[in-house]
Amino acid sequence: MRPVTFFGVLCVCAHAGSVNEGREYFEVMRGEFGIALEIQHCGCMVDQTGWVDRGGDGVGEFNGDEARRASFGE
């Protein structure tokens, strides 16, 4: 699996309002497939929670260090 595949899946989950499924795929992406977190994945997680009016709840899905590496390519 490639990172772009999960980006597509996470986007679909965000637009469908499928937050729980999106979170599951997010964890599978990182845990089972060992795919490095990218800024697009972070954005999808935040977007998912926004679609269901849960504010920035998705930000808690990853820690600050991971988000910083994804944002700045470190």
Side-chain angles (χ1 to χ4, degrees), residues 14-38:
H15 288 276
S18 302
V19 176
N20 292 333
E21 290 85 353
R23 288 181 179 179
E24 288 176 28
Y25 284 116
F26 187 74
E27 291 303 319
V28 166
M29 175 189 85
R30 295 168 59 204
E32 289 182 36
F33 290 93
I35 293 176
L37 189 62
E38 296 180 5

Side-chain angles (χ1 to χ4, degrees), residues 1-7 29 35 41:
M1 290 290 234
R2 295 176 25 201
V4 70
T5 303
F6 279 100
F7 173 64
M29 175 189 85
I35 293 176
H41 301 125

Side-chain angles (χ1 to χ4, degrees), residues 19 23 26-27 30 37 41-50 54-67:
V19 176
R23 288 181 179 179
F26 187 74
E27 291 303 319
R30 295 168 59 204
L37 189 62
H41 301 125
C42 299
C44 281
M45 291 306 296
V46 172
D47 193 31
Q48 281 182 41
T49 57
R54 291 175 59 184
D57 187 40
V59 175
E61 295 298 312
F62 41 86
N63 68 43
D65 291 335
E66 286 181 296

